[in-house]
Amino acid sequence: MNYLRGFIPWLVFAGVSPAGWQWGALAGLAAAVALLIADRAAGLALDLRLLEYGTIVFFAALTALAFARPESGLKMYGSALSMGWLALIAWVSIAVGRPFTSGIARRMAPPEVWHTPLFQRINVVLTAAWALSFTLTALAQAAASAYGWNVAFSILIQLAGFVLPARFTAAYPERARARFMGTSGARADIQGGLAS
């Protein structure tokens, strides 16, 4: 559930947008700012909050555009734009060595594992899975908007874009830890055999 917390502004945007995309954007911005303030009040370091900062930038820009040009043609590409922006945040967070999932994982993992190679590797893989899903979802949403596909199909695309990486996120860390422990155990057995 901690992974979903970071996406609350995007869900708020999707939920409020039927009342007007400008109101959806404003509600998403308010939710993003509120979450960042709550994190700060809870004493959480803000240096790994790339998702939260990127979310605020997106919704601030979208709010300004939506109120200045409510009938802009970009309105029909809101889902594609939001997923594309999330993809950009995810890919950039990997490129700068701060995978966005690290900030979320630190809420659940003890501080002594935060700088281990396994923790870092798991978060690179998880962030890459989210980035790939966001990228593919953005492309599918752009096609759905351009070709006027049924709204139900667009909703299914959006759901898949979150559900698939969320399921992977739930399963992968334990598999990676088990594989690491198996490999570490095998190495220890080999080293122990060489020493004797």
Side-chain angles (χ1 to χ4, degrees), residues 6-148:
F7 299 116
I8 288 172
W10 304 91
L11 298 172
V12 168
F13 169 63
V16 176
S17 286
W21 74 310
Q22 63 273 44
W23 301 112
L26 184 61
L29 177 60
V33 170
L35 285 175
L36 196 63
I37 290 170
D39 283 350
R40 189 68 196 138
L44 297 174
L46 299 180
D47 62 330
L48 287 173
R49 302 280 176 242
L50 292 176
L51 176 62
E52 290 81 354
Y53 293 130
T55 298
I56 289 171
V57 168
F58 176 82
F59 283 121
L62 189 64
T63 298
L65 172 68
F67 276 102
R69 308 233 7 232
E71 298 307 318
S72 170
L74 289 178
K75 176 168 74 171
M76 65 186 254
Y77 290 94
S79 292
L81 289 172
S82 63
M83 295 305 281
W85 187 260
L86 282 168
L88 181 65
I89 291 170
W91 291 121
V92 167
S93 75
I94 293 171
V96 300
R98 294 179 177 267
F100 84 83
T101 58
S102 294
I104 300 165
R106 285 183 178 201
R107 291 173 173 263
M108 299 174 276
E112 57 268 14
V113 302
W114 292 355
H115 301 290
T116 64
L118 178 61
F119 183 83
Q120 293 170 2
R121 176 69 183 147
I122 287 171
N123 281 288
V124 167
V125 171
L126 292 178
T127 301
W130 283 97
L132 179 60
S133 181
F134 292 150
T135 301
L136 295 175
T137 304
L139 293 172
Q141 289 289 26
S145 295
Y147 295 108

